[in-house]
Amino acid sequence: MVSLDLASLTFLLVEDSAYMRTILRTMLQGFGARRIVEAEDGASGLEAMDRANPDILILDWVMPILDGADMVRMIRTQNNPFAYIPIIMVTGHTERSRIIEARRLGVHELLSKPISAKALYQRVSSVIMQPRDFVKTPSYFGPAPREIRNRQKIWQGGLPQPGNASAPAQQSEESQAIG
């Protein structure tokens, strides 16, 4: 696993459970993150964004006042200064419909509860090491879905050919992601 220097990045954790915020903060600190700002709901999360100017947003889906989905909808507008921020959504609801909705909202990565340090690190690493172009259509504004990005790689001859030893590893990594 690649070692990332997270000390210079600012993370915003938006989670209504103080216990989950502690778990996420502790994991991020273990990865080397030093600037971690916390908010307990989407409304205070939006206020914290203006103060903290975060590089990565990690937020819960289900919260009081303003939930994670509504917060993402407010962020993923072109006139929002944080429209392009990488978003990692944390949820205990991993039904297919939720995964599809997260993709449609413009979430970069989905992290299912109970979370593990490895899964969190993989999601953080993904948004840093594999940045995605943004797409704007009449019904969507957010990171390019991985299928489209991979098709472009295929068109450019960039994906491993069947039978190549690295192909299965890439498929298994991509199968864990939402977009």
Side-chain angles (χ1 to χ4, degrees):
M1 202 175 283
V2 176
S3 178
L4 300 173
D5 180 8
L6 303 181
S8 64
L9 298 177
T10 300
F11 290 83
L12 174 57
L13 297 179
V14 183
E15 164 68 64
D16 59 316
S17 164
Y19 178 70
M20 278 302 300
R21 283 195 311 272
T22 300
I23 290 171
L24 289 164
R25 178 180 5 92
T26 302
M27 287 181 184
L28 289 170
Q29 288 170 335
F31 304 152
R34 297 294 168 252
R35 293 190 307 225
I36 304 166
V37 177
E38 299 178 23
E40 62 189 19
D41 59 63
S44 57
L46 289 171
E47 292 172 7
M49 288 186 86
D50 289 330
R51 288 191 319 270
N53 193 24
D55 298 296
I56 297 175
L57 173 61
I58 300 173
L59 75 158
D60 188 22
W61 192 307
V62 178
M63 296 182 288
I65 303 175
L66 183 70
D67 72 10
D70 288 335
M71 185 175 174
V72 173
R73 283 185 196 95
M74 295 176 79
I75 293 168
R76 290 286 190 246
T77 59
Q78 285 195 317
N79 59 347
N80 188 311
F82 298 102
Y84 297 92
I85 190 170
I87 298 175
I88 300 170
M89 180 82 82
V90 179
T91 184
H93 304 277
T94 56
E95 303 86 15
R96 181 174 168 76
S97 61
R98 284 283 182 125
I99 294 168
I100 291 168
E101 184 178 356
R103 176 188 288 179
R104 289 183 180 149
L105 289 169
V107 171
H108 280 81
E109 298 286 339
L110 195 64
L111 183 60
S112 61
K113 294 177 183 176
I115 62 171
S116 69
K118 179 180 179 182
L120 178 60
Y121 191 84
Q122 287 173 335
R123 300 318 186 278
V124 170
S125 177
S126 175
V127 299
I128 294 170
M129 301 300 292
Q130 300 167 349
R132 292 159 55 189
D133 293 333
F134 270 62
V135 174
K136 181 185 184 307
T137 69
S139 61
Y140 177 77
F141 176 70
R146 284 184 183 82
E147 306 83 70
I148 292 173
R149 194 179 69 196
N150 288 340
R151 276 191 220 118
Q152 290 170 344
K153 285 182 183 176
I154 291 169
W155 297 330
Q156 299 164 358
L159 282 180
Q161 297 301 316
N164 183 328
S166 65
Q170 183 170 1
Q171 289 172 350
S172 67
E173 287 174 22
E174 299 226 355
S175 68
Q176 297 173 5
I178 64 163

